[in-house]
Amino acid sequence: MAGEFESLGLTGTQRGIYSVLIFIIAYGFVMTEEFTHLRKSKPVILAAGIIWAHAAVLASQAGVSAEDMHKAFEYNLKEYAELMLFLLVAMTYINSMSERNVFEALRSWLVRKQFGYRKLFLITGIITFFLSSVADNLTAALLVGAVVLAVGSDNPKFVSIGFVNLVVAANAGGAFCPFGDITTLMVWQAEYAEFFDFFKLFVPSLVNYAVPAAVMYFAVPDEQPKASSEAAVQLKTGAIVICAMFLGTIATAVSFKQVLHLPPFMGMMVGLSVLMFYGYYLKTRHAPENGDAGFDIFNKVKSAEWDTLLFFFGVVFAVGGLGYIGYLELLSGAMYETLGPTTANILVGLISAIVDNIPVMFAVLNMNLDMDLYQWLLVTLTAGVGGSLLSVGSAAGVALMGQSDHKYTFFSHLKWTPAIAAGYAASILTHYLING
């Protein structure tokens, strides 16, 4: 960031302080989304516009040319565009697989198998851990959460513990693969670590999940759920092919980055084009089946998590604007120079339990820090799994609270925070022993 343009260094001005207050107020609305039902993207987009308006006035008063200010603005635009296009393709593939009954078939199979509660606790946790490494943690938690809710409909205690387990598993699974979490993806695209470097976090991430899961396991009712009469769900035409194409798209994105040294979103867009052609094949060669309206790729694009994508826009530009005014340099000095990188990176994870990890990680990436690979992997781990400490610390937790019909709440999650904190500490120690 500092290599492309200089921040204004005007953190003590009235406009600078107003900008911070605007961001805090906007984020207050984000944190109360569960109660207000105001989508989180709305306040942060407004805050981003106001913050950049203040930054533009401050730049003009400081005698900074419009061209230099545009460099700072365009830096944020580039960052957002790359991540947004990458995520849009991933979401479109997930929606396509969902429409072809891939996840519904998995849910149906688990329900019909009649596993005991304890066995189901382990199975759903492990599936969520690995599923969130390729799908985002929100999608993984919601998909497997439907299984837990269906099987435990008459056992609120199982649903409560099972949902805590899913939140921890989803956040831990997303930390060791660039495709699993937006923060991990941000570090990869910023080129602070190579694609295969992140797999060094597999064991620490597994420990982060396993420690609280082992503690919670003995609190799971040792009973058998009621028999289910659910019928098997059949996969629609092309379901397996689209799953294989998604894996091929991931491989293409990695190849574009590692071999061609192009941004990985370009490889993802190539994969999207292949899905578009295959969608055309399905529509023209296969008549709509059993009332199915046919496969329309643009319906899958339309169904992407636009609230998340637009929230990400607001965060990037709001935090970028504060950084341009000079607050990230101030924060960097207070955290990383005063406390040292290890302590500061552990603190980042604790902060992400309260504030969403996306703005926290974007701020860290734009502090122009001089850290080695071990420290970048550490902050990737802590920012990814720190959100598990509280139910409001990650999108997975917030979404499951909404899905659970009051069986999983902030306080039912808080009861297990000491066990989750033990897993958090154990994962950091494991990272040090393996990668330090």
Side-chain angles (χ1 to χ4, degrees):
M1 186 173 182
E4 296 187 27
F5 56 87
E6 291 185 4
S7 65
L8 299 174
L10 297 173
T11 54
T13 59
Q14 277 190 335
R15 286 187 182 276
I17 294 168
Y18 288 154
S19 297
V20 174
L21 289 175
I22 289 293
F23 182 76
I24 291 171
I25 292 168
Y27 221 83
F29 280 105
V30 171
M31 293 175 72
T32 56
E33 179 188 14
E34 183 193 355
F35 310 105
T36 63
H37 303 293
L38 178 71
R39 293 293 187 93
K40 61 182 178 291
S41 58
K42 297 174 182 179
V44 290
I45 291 175
L46 178 60
I50 295 172
I51 289 169
W52 268 103
H54 280 301
V57 172
L58 286 171
S60 177
Q61 291 174 346
V64 176
S65 68
E67 184 182 351
D68 286 343
M69 185 192 68
H70 284 169
K71 285 182 181 177
F73 189 84
E74 288 165 4
Y75 170 84
N76 292 299
L77 182 61
K78 172 180 171 289
E79 289 289 302
Y80 173 69
E82 288 188 6
L83 286 161
M84 180 264 195
L85 290 171
F86 188 104
L87 292 169
L88 183 62
V89 176
M91 289 175 176
T92 301
Y93 261 101
I94 295 297
N95 289 338
S96 298
M97 289 188 284
S98 180
E99 189 270 343
R100 295 284 102 181
N101 285 347
V102 171
F103 302 117
E104 188 63 17
L106 174 62
R107 185 198 68 79
S108 171
W109 180 80
L110 284 170
V111 171
R112 287 183 292 108
K113 273 295 183 179
Q114 289 295 292
F115 295 114
Y117 285 128
R118 287 190 170 182
K119 200 167 187 179
L120 198 67
F121 175 85
L122 295 175
I123 292 170
T124 54
I126 292 167
I127 288 175
T128 304
F129 180 83
F130 286 102
L131 183 59
S132 68
S133 66
V134 286
D136 65 279
N137 55 8
L138 172 62
T139 301
L142 284 176
L143 290 171
V144 186
V147 177
V148 173
L149 206 56
V151 176
S153 57
D154 59 338
N155 195 317
K157 184 178 180 182
F158 170 70
V159 173
S160 175
I161 299 175
F163 274 19
V164 176
N165 184 47
L166 295 189
V167 171
V168 177
N171 290 331
F176 72 88
C177 178
F179 293 84
D181 193 281
I182 294 176
T183 52
T184 319
L185 176 61
M186 289 162 74
V187 176
W188 180 40
Q189 293 210 145
E191 299 185 347
Y192 286 112
E194 295 296 330
F195 180 82
F196 295 103
D197 288 335
F198 291 99
F199 291 98
K200 294 177 181 178
L201 292 176
F202 175 76
V203 176
S205 297
L206 189 61
V207 168
N208 178 269
Y209 162 64
V211 170
V215 175
M216 289 187 288
Y217 176 81
F218 296 101
V220 176
D222 190 11
E223 302 167 12
Q224 196 76 17
K226 287 183 179 178
S228 171
S229 58
E230 179 162 330
V233 173
Q234 299 300 318
L235 294 173
K236 292 183 182 178
T237 305
I240 302 300
V241 174
I242 291 175
C243 291
M245 284 166 52
F246 183 46
L247 295 176
T249 298
I250 291 174
T252 304
V254 174
S255 299
F256 266 63
K257 180 76 166 61
Q258 302 294 118
V259 180
L260 302 176
H261 306 292
L262 288 170
F265 82 87
M266 198 66 226
M268 294 295 283
M269 294 301 288
V270 170
L272 178 62
S273 71
V274 175
L275 179 60
M276 287 175 162
F277 280 112
Y278 187 67
Y280 174 77
Y281 166 78
L282 287 177
K283 286 181 70 174
T284 55
R285 293 298 180 93
H286 293 273
E289 304 162 7
N290 302 322
D292 179 19
F295 187 91
D296 187 343
I297 185 63
F298 290 104
N299 282 339
K300 311 302 172 287
V301 175
K302 183 177 72 175
S303 302
E305 278 284 330
W306 284 101
D307 180 50
T308 299
L309 293 173
L310 292 174
F311 167 71
F312 191 45
F313 167 86
V315 163
V316 166
F317 278 89
V319 174
L322 293 175
Y324 184 52
I325 294 170
Y327 285 102
L328 294 186
E329 286 182 18
L330 200 66
L331 193 59
S332 171
M335 284 181 61
Y336 283 86
E337 292 176 23
T338 304
L339 300 174
T342 300
T343 305
N345 287 333
I346 293 171
L347 186 60
V348 163
L350 300 179
I351 293 170
S352 71
I354 304 166
V355 179
D356 191 278
N357 59 4
I358 295 173
V360 174
M361 181 56 86
F362 189 74
V364 170
L365 290 171
N366 287 279
M367 286 178 183
N368 197 34
L369 300 170
D370 182 20
M371 298 196 299
D372 58 18
L373 178 63
Y374 169 78
Q375 292 294 348
W376 280 113
L377 290 179
L378 175 61
V379 75
T380 301
L381 175 69
T382 57
V385 304
S388 301
L389 292 165
L390 298 174
S391 64
V392 295
S394 65
V398 173
L400 287 179
M401 279 194 293
Q403 189 187 41
S404 70
D405 192 25
H406 305 294
K407 293 173 183 172
Y408 166 66
T409 64
F410 177 85
F411 290 103
S412 68
H413 187 105
L414 192 66
K415 176 184 175 183
W416 296 104
T417 293
I420 298 167
Y424 181 74
S427 65
I428 293 168
L429 179 61
T430 305
H431 174 54
Y432 172 74
L433 294 174
I434 295 176
N435 304 315

